Amino acid sequence: REFCPCAAKGQAMTPTDELALTLSWRHGRGAFGPFFAALEQGRILAAVCPTCGRTVTPPKDRCLFDGAELVPRELPPVGTVRQLTTGSASSLLASKSAEETFALVQVTGSDNSLLARIAGNGRAVQVGASVRLAPVAGAVSHPAQLLVFVVEG
């Protein structure tokens, strides 16, 4: 109550009091800028370690295993589903929840996996399925929402 202006005046807040807040926040893409820019063009960027040969996406500056400086590399926009989950989800642009399927997708040539949405009938997807990066129609509130794959074939 000590933070409520009405409490400082000895008044009680009633359920009819309304407080409206608006927050606009713009943030930079930082080190992920090139990765997100490539996604906007339908491409996937990674980085390869010249010392141990590991390839990671999104690209990092240094290898997590030996500290070597990584070299940028483009990977094909295809991969394999490693794990799946389906459930109710909503995006910032959606007015209500919808059933969505998300997967850990190991992009071909990468040693790690990305969290991505599976477009279409996600319940028909199985672990081990081959997928391809799909174009996203409409506006997205964050470039990470461009990580959408469809089952090949």
Side-chain angles (χ1 to χ4, degrees), residues 6-106:
C6 55
K9 296 177 186 174
Q11 302 169 351
M13 240 180 131
T14 64
T16 58
D17 293 334
E18 184 175 319
L19 177 63
L21 298 174
T22 301
L23 174 65
S24 294
W25 181 46
R26 295 180 60 103
H27 63 87
R29 295 179 177 183
F32 290 110
F35 175 74
F36 289 140
L39 272 180
E40 291 171 339
Q41 299 170 1
R43 302 179 306 119
I44 296 180
L45 288 186
V48 63
C49 178
T51 305
C52 69
R54 287 184 175 90
T55 300
V56 294
T57 187
K60 312 261 187 278
D61 292 333
R62 300 231 167 242
C63 181
L64 296 173
F65 297 94
D66 57 41
E69 188 172 332
L70 299 179
V71 178
R73 175 178 168 200
E74 188 169 332
L75 295 178
V78 296
T80 304
V81 172
R82 296 297 178 206
Q83 295 290 325
L84 283 164
T85 187
T86 299
S88 181
S90 65
S91 72
L92 295 173
L93 298 176
S95 59
K96 58 184 174 180
S97 295
E99 185 172 273
E100 298 280 3
T101 297
F102 293 91
L104 288 178
V105 174
Q106 185 174 7

Side-chain angles (χ1 to χ4, degrees), residues 131-147:
V131 292
R132 174 172 292 283
L133 189 65
V136 174
V140 295
S141 58
H142 193 280
Q145 291 173 308
L146 297 170
L147 281 169

